[in-house]
């Protein structure tokens, strides 16, 4: 089956969680090595051994907990912070001189990891809460505030609050981006469906109106009704109220609209297959349409080839409708390797200045959606040149590197 366009977003928090995981492991190892190097200076080393054993087991066992925001629950954060606070408060029990010599606490800088987890999980308010508790525990452990202690707790408090604020801003930006991507995807889907409606239903209704008016009698009434329905449907399309459900997902639309990802027979395209654009354009050639094409196949991904062929069909339909039944049209296909160019030219009366903008305002979106919209979605361009009395030329360019498969 042909690949559909997908938008894959990676959370901006993921690198922060990975960094926190590494930080917790490294600081746990640092705390153990620091204790081992100072082991003989502790009055009750068994207190430090017991705490650091719990700390090591807890850190390694809970690595999956700090992998993402979903697994980092409030209960985990509470237990994690409790372990950090306990390690700080029992440091004087392991070494009574820790207060006087201003030595490191048992968990050392591992405690900052608990605060950072609060910051990444809940933002700056959670960070301020956790860092305040750690600061209070450090002040209690020291007995009296010192310059170094105040410096350290203030550093942790400011850093954690700043990280929490950055996380909140990143989340808000990510949510805004996700919403913008959803709106863009819905808009493109709506335009794609509107193009299909324009190329099928609206064209049929317009033809019924013209034929009915020409035949007169009861057919004229039928043509008038078809004209009213055409106006109503055009209003619906131009107002943006066309549903975004694909025809392949809604059986009610299946008879009217065919998704561009499927073949003419409704079967999915083979993976990696390409279509020859010349084959798709060949049916247009006739007594009033001349087709000039390269001698070699013009290969494009199936969706791109069919969308480009549909844009050519829309351009020819405009020729037949507005240039008259006797107008002559020419199709020129050029393959330049890095891009494919299809030019549709006619010898009709041309388009008066401002007519396209007026037609778009009236809901007649043949050029805006069926031609320019298709080329825009393919990463290409559609240029229309018209001089009153000298015909119209539509140049469609599709870069191969940007043609979406």
């Amino acid at each position: 089956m042909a690949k559909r366009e997908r938008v894959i977003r990676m959370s901006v928090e993921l690198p922060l969680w990975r960094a926190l995981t590494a930080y917790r492991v490294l600081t746990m190892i640092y705390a153990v090595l620091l204790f081992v190097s100072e082991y003989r200076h502790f009055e009750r080393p068994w207190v430090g051994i017991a705490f650091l054993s719990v700390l090591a087991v807890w850190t390694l066992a809970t690595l999956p907990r700090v992998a993402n925001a979903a697994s980092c629950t409030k209960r985990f954060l509470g237990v994690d912070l409790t372990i950090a606070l306990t390690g700080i408060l029992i440091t004087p029990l392991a070494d009574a001189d820790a207060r006087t010599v201003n030595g490191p606490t048992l968990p050392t800088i591992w405690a900052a990891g608990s605060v950072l987890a609060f910051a990444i999980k809940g933002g700056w308010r959670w960070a301020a809460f956790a860092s305040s508790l750690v600061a209070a525990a450090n002040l209690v452990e020291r007995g009296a505030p010192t310059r170094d202690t105040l410096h350290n707790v203030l550093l942790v408090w400011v850093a954690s609050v700043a990280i929490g604020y950055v996380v909140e801003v990143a989340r808000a930006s990510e949510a805004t981006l996700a919403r913008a991507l959803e709106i863009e995807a819905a808009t493109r889907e709506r335009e794609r469906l509107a193009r299909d409606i324009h190329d099928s239903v609206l064209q049929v209704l317009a033809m019924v109106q013209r034929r009915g008016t020409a035949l007169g009698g009861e057919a004229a009434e039928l043509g008038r009704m078809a004209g009213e329905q055409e106006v109503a449907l055009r209003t619906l399309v131009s107002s943006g109220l066309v549903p975004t459900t694909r025809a392949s997902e809604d059986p009610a639309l299946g008879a009217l609209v065919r998704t561009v990802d499927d073949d003419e027979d409704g079967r999915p395209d083979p993976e990696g297959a390409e279509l020859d654009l010349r084959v798709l354009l060949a049916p247009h050639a006739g007594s009033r349409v001349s087709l000039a094409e390269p001698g070699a196949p013009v290969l494009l991904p199936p969706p791109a080839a069919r969308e480009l062929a549909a844009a050519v069909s829309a351009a020819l339909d405009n020729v037949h409708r507005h240039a008259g039944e006797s107008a002559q049209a020419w199709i020129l296909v050029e393959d330049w390797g890095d891009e494919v160019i299809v030019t549709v030219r006619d010898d009709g009366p041309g388009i008066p200045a401002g007519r396209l903008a007026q037609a778009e305002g009236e809901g007649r979106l043949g050029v805006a959606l069926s031609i320019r919209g298709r080329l825009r979605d393919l990463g290409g361009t559609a240029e229309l040149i018209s001089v009153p009395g000298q015909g119209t030329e539509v140049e469609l360019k599709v870069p191969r590197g940007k043609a979406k498969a």
Side-chain angles (χ1 to χ4, degrees):
M1 178 178 291
K3 295 181 180 178
R4 299 182 186 273
E5 184 179 357
R6 294 189 180 99
V7 178
I8 301 176
R9 293 188 298 110
M10 177 180 289
S11 173
V12 295
E13 302 174 27
L14 186 57
L16 294 177
W17 289 112
R18 289 175 177 173
L20 178 61
T21 301
Y23 178 88
R24 288 168 62 87
V25 174
L26 293 176
T27 53
M28 178 270 293
I29 295 174
Y30 172 76
V32 172
L33 292 178
L34 186 63
F35 174 77
V36 170
S37 66
E38 301 292 334
Y39 174 80
R40 296 179 180 179
H41 300 291
F42 281 77
E43 296 179 1
R44 301 178 184 86
W46 61 269
V47 176
I49 294 174
F51 172 77
L52 291 174
S53 298
V54 172
L55 181 67
V57 172
W58 171 258
T59 301
L60 297 177
T62 58
L63 288 181
R65 288 287 190 173
V66 290
N68 51 64
S71 58
C72 187
T73 61
K74 292 181 180 180
R75 178 178 297 180
F76 164 76
L77 289 175
V79 175
D80 197 62
L81 184 61
T82 300
I83 291 176
L85 297 176
T86 301
I88 294 172
L89 294 175
I90 67 172
T91 298
L93 182 62
D95 183 12
D97 293 334
R99 288 187 173 182
T100 58
V101 299
N102 201 30
T105 60
L106 287 176
T108 64
I109 56 177
W110 184 92
S114 298
V115 177
L116 294 177
F118 270 81
I120 300 175
K121 172 69 175 181
W124 71 270
R125 293 175 180 83
W126 288 31
F129 168 77
S131 58
S132 297
L133 291 181
V134 171
N138 275 280
L139 293 176
V140 170
E141 185 267 336
R142 294 303 176 193
T146 64
R147 185 179 65 179
D148 289 341
T149 301
L150 291 175
H151 171 78
N152 292 335
V153 298
L154 182 62
L155 180 63
V156 173
W157 195 89
V158 172
S160 60
V161 169
I163 292 176
Y165 178 75
V166 170
V167 169
E168 288 188 0
V169 173
R171 282 180 182 151
S173 300
E174 187 178 22
T176 302
L177 176 60
R179 179 57 181 161
L181 292 175
E182 291 175 0
I183 293 174
E184 180 185 6
T187 301
R188 288 185 179 274
E189 188 69 13
R190 183 179 295 113
E191 289 183 356
R192 191 155 43 232
L193 181 57
R195 287 197 298 264
D196 291 334
I197 292 175
H198 175 272
D199 292 347
S200 55
V201 183
L202 291 178
Q203 303 290 8
V204 172
L205 291 175
M207 183 185 68
V208 171
Q209 181 187 21
R210 293 196 303 270
R211 287 295 185 88
T213 302
L215 293 175
E218 294 182 358
E221 177 63 17
L222 180 61
R224 184 189 64 79
M225 295 173 62
E228 292 176 353
Q229 294 303 313
E230 180 194 4
V231 172
L233 187 54
R234 285 188 187 276
T235 302
L236 184 65
V237 170
S238 61
S239 65
L241 298 177
V242 175
T244 59
T245 304
R246 295 299 296 267
S248 57
E249 300 169 357
D250 189 349
L253 293 175
L256 298 178
V257 183
R258 174 175 51 81
T259 59
V260 298
D261 290 336
D262 297 332
D263 285 321
E264 295 290 341
D265 57 3
R267 292 177 297 180
D269 296 312
E271 191 73 20
E274 290 188 325
L275 291 182
D276 186 355
L277 181 63
R278 303 178 308 166
V279 176
L280 300 180
L281 298 181
H284 295 300
S287 59
R288 289 182 297 164
V289 178
S290 300
L291 175 61
E293 59 189 25
V298 181
L299 299 178
L300 286 172
R306 279 195 288 271
E307 286 289 80
L308 182 53
V312 172
S313 179
L316 291 174
D317 180 74
N318 285 336
V319 173
H320 299 326
R321 293 184 61 187
H322 304 296
E325 297 295 333
S326 60
Q328 184 72 25
W330 294 267
I331 304 175
L332 174 61
V333 182
E334 300 174 274
D335 188 350
W336 293 95
D338 58 340
E339 67 177 357
V340 175
I341 302 177
V342 180
T343 305
V344 180
R345 183 170 59 87
D346 66 73
D347 60 358
I351 303 175
R355 182 67 186 95
L356 290 179
Q358 179 185 356
E360 187 172 348
E362 295 172 353
R364 300 182 178 274
L365 306 176
V367 174
L369 288 181
S370 292
I371 300 179
R372 287 176 178 160
R374 278 190 165 97
L375 270 294
R376 182 194 63 231
D377 289 350
L378 293 176
T381 58
E383 296 184 9
L384 189 147
I385 303 174
S386 181
V387 178
Q390 299 183 25
T392 302
E393 179 177 301
V394 179
E395 185 179 68
L396 311 174
K397 292 183 179 180
V398 178
R400 270 204 168 83
K402 296 182 180 179
K404 301 176 183 179

